Structure formats: structure tokens, C-alpha cells
Amino acid sequence: MALSNAEEAFVLETRRYFSNIAVWPRQPVDVNPSGWLSNFDRPDRELATNLLDSFLLISTEQSTKMVSSAFHALAALQHDMFELSSNEYQSAWTDFRSRILVTYPARPNDPAGSGHIYARAARSLVAVPDQQLFDPPALIQRLSTTATAATVVFVDDFSGTGDQFCDAWARDHSTASGSVTSFAALSDEGRVAEAIFLPAIVTASAKAHIARFCPAVDVRPAHVLPPRYSASDPDTTLVPASLRAGLDDLLVRYADRAGYSEVGRYGYGGCGLAISFEHATPDNTLPIFNGGPMRPSAWTPLRSM
């Protein structure tokens, strides 16, 4: 049964409400649900509306608070804080913060990367001192010249495949002595007592990938996206069961209109997600939302950034 105009209007009104209470960015400055739906032919609007209804648009405030909660949960696990009195808890929490060095998994030559946002959040929300916050090259320098092994905490908004983190873990950086080394090598040498990755959100597949290729790293996200949140999963929750059979066909048919390749219709790594952060949309998200690199002017993206 086709989606009625009233049902479609309800979804759009819900998105407007999300903007009004700042769960989504303000409309129409950044996000344009009605304009995006207008890209679709009437027979395809039901499926498109259900995709829109599943789309997660996460504000920076929300994602940084997720990272903050992951910090507190990690400290509680390490110190068994659930069994402590209030004073003992505060003392253990202060001790935990004093021992960690915070950085982020960055791509090379990526000034638009989001990791530094969450490093700043560690300072403002978790009160990690400035002298314990590092960009990756600076932390490599610190670890390679200090005899005492450190607990290193990586923070970020999202990990869709785990590739970026694994690359950052293994990437060589220059040291003060003129040699090169990586977090992985320093960990093997015993200079990293513990390595922890605290993303706001991670997919289940990314978590497993990091566990396989970076076994020394403990991944402790605030939230894990299950496989069913992917459009490529046979039991995807992005659309109702009655519409799943038509989802792949829709993504193929609108590839040219939205300017993306049929081969890449599920986004990077085939993740097929419906998620975006206030500062950026991951390349693991379905390109049908914002269009691909060949997007024609006739295609209205869900987000204008």
C-alpha cells in the first residue's frame, strides 16, 4: 500500500521538529527533507520517505557528549567505580584522567578531519589537561622519548569500516632521533601500556575489523550500530520489510540522477548507512542522500554542506 500524503507530511513535520529543538540543524539552512523527497518520482516516494525517517543527523553537542559518556564508562570499568563511594569515585576518576594521553586517528593531510573536535571535548567535558592532549605526530614524539609506558586514548566521532583507525595505528611518523615509528610499533615495544579507542559511534563490522587487525587496541564506543542498520543487510531496519526488495533497485535507478556510481551505491566499504554528523557526512552513508561527485544541479541534496 502506497504511503499517503498525510503519512509523508508527518515524516517531514517530524524532521522540522527535530530542527526546531536542535536535534537536527536548522532548516532550510543546512537540511532540506522536502526538497530531497522532491527528487523522487511519485511511485518511489514511499521508499524514499522511509529512508528519510531512518536517517540519523547527530549534532556536535550530542556526539561530544557520547564521547564524554564513553570516557566515564571506561574509567568506571577500569576502577570498578560502581562499587565505590562518592569520594572514592571522584578520587579514582581524577587518577584515571591524570594517567591518560589523548589523541585521535587522523588521515594524513586532512585538515578537515573531525578528531580534533573530540580531543577538545575531552578537555572541556572531561577536564583532561591541555598537556595531555596531542595530535598524532606529537604523541609519537612523546611516546618515543619517554621511558614510562602510557595509556593512550583515541577519540573520534565515527568509525564505519575501521580502515581509518587501522591506518592511523600503523602509520609511521618521524621521531626526534630522525627515525620513524608508529603507534603499533611503540605498543609492541611496550611504550604503550594500554591503547583505547573511544568513538561516539562505531559499526559492528568496524569494531570487529579493528579487533582483528589491531588486537592491542580496546574499542569502547558510546554506541554500536548493528549490521541491520545497513541498507545492504537483507534484514535492514532502514525500511519496512515490505519495501526491502525494492531498495537496491531504487539505489541503482537513481545513481545517474544523484551523480554517483552504481558500484558505489552503498557508500564506502559497502556500509549503506543513513547517518550524518553536524560537521560532516561520512562517506559510508548512502550517496543517494546528498548525491555523488557527479551530482547534477537538478538533484537536491538532503544536506547542503
Side-chain angles (χ1 to χ4, degrees):
M1 183 170 60
L3 202 68
S4 69
N5 289 337
E7 289 170 317
E8 182 178 301
F10 174 77
V11 171
L12 291 174
E13 181 56 36
T14 302
R15 303 311 98 167
R16 279 191 286 271
Y17 173 71
F18 285 171
S19 289
N20 290 338
I21 64 172
V23 171
W24 276 27
R26 294 286 179 182
Q27 296 182 27
V29 174
D30 181 41
V31 61
N32 187 0
S34 59
W36 181 74
L37 281 179
S38 71
N39 295 309
F40 296 90
D41 300 331
R42 174 51 63 180
D44 297 319
R45 291 284 282 269
E46 180 179 13
L47 191 46
T49 300
N50 277 280
L51 281 175
L52 174 63
D53 198 30
S54 298
F55 192 81
L56 297 177
L57 184 46
I58 300 169
S59 71
T60 299
E61 180 181 9
Q62 289 172 319
S63 58
T64 53
K65 284 185 177 179
M66 286 184 197
V67 172
S68 173
S69 70
F71 262 108
H72 284 276
L74 174 63
L77 287 170
Q78 291 207 337
H79 290 278
D80 197 18
M81 290 185 184
F82 299 112
E83 304 298 326
L84 302 181
S85 68
S86 177
N87 287 340
E88 289 172 330
Y89 178 100
Q90 187 58 47
S91 177
W93 172 239
T94 300
D95 172 67
F96 170 75
R97 284 181 307 180
S98 71
R99 292 186 292 104
I100 62 174
L101 303 179
V102 178
T103 189
Y104 49 90
R107 294 186 179 96
N109 302 316
D110 184 20
S114 58
H116 63 280
I117 296 173
Y118 300 89
R120 288 200 301 269
R123 177 181 58 196
S124 60
L125 297 178
V126 192
V128 175
D130 281 341
Q131 63 267 27
Q132 293 170 226
L133 306 177
F134 297 84
D135 63 24
L139 184 52
I140 289 284
Q141 294 272 359
R142 164 72 178 269
L143 294 172
S144 63
T145 56
T146 304
T148 304
T151 296
V152 177
V153 178
F154 295 83
V155 292
D156 208 353
D157 55 354
F158 179 70
S159 182
T161 63
D163 289 346
Q164 180 178 339
F165 182 87
C166 291
D167 289 347
W169 179 248
R171 183 175 303 119
D172 282 333
H173 296 271
S174 299
T175 68
S177 66
S179 62
V180 295
T181 191
S182 64
F183 289 110
L186 291 170
S187 177
D188 290 342
E189 293 171 12
R191 293 180 180 271
V192 178
E194 188 175 11
I196 305 158
F197 181 30
L198 295 186
I201 299 175
V202 66
T203 65
S205 59
K207 191 172 186 293
H209 182 78
I210 295 170
R212 179 182 177 188
F213 290 98
C214 310
V217 179
D218 188 10
V219 184
R220 294 282 181 178
H223 183 72
V224 178
L225 288 180
R228 292 184 65 193
Y229 194 73
S230 169
S232 61
D233 190 278
D235 299 315
T236 181
T237 58
L238 295 186
V239 298
S242 60
L243 299 177
R244 288 172 188 159
L247 181 54
D248 186 70
D249 176 66
L250 179 87
L251 299 177
V252 169
R253 287 189 291 106
Y254 280 83
D256 286 343
R257 288 200 207 182
Y260 59 85
S261 163
E262 288 183 20
V263 175
R265 62 190 179 277
Y266 288 100
Y268 179 76
C271 289
L273 303 178
I275 189 171
S276 185
F277 292 83
E278 184 174 346
H279 56 273
T281 298
D283 56 7
N284 316 98
T285 289
L286 292 169
I288 199 170
F289 284 113
N290 292 328
M294 301 172 287
R295 186 183 76 201
S297 59
W299 183 265
T300 301
L302 179 58
R303 298 193 67 190
S304 58
M305 64 181 301

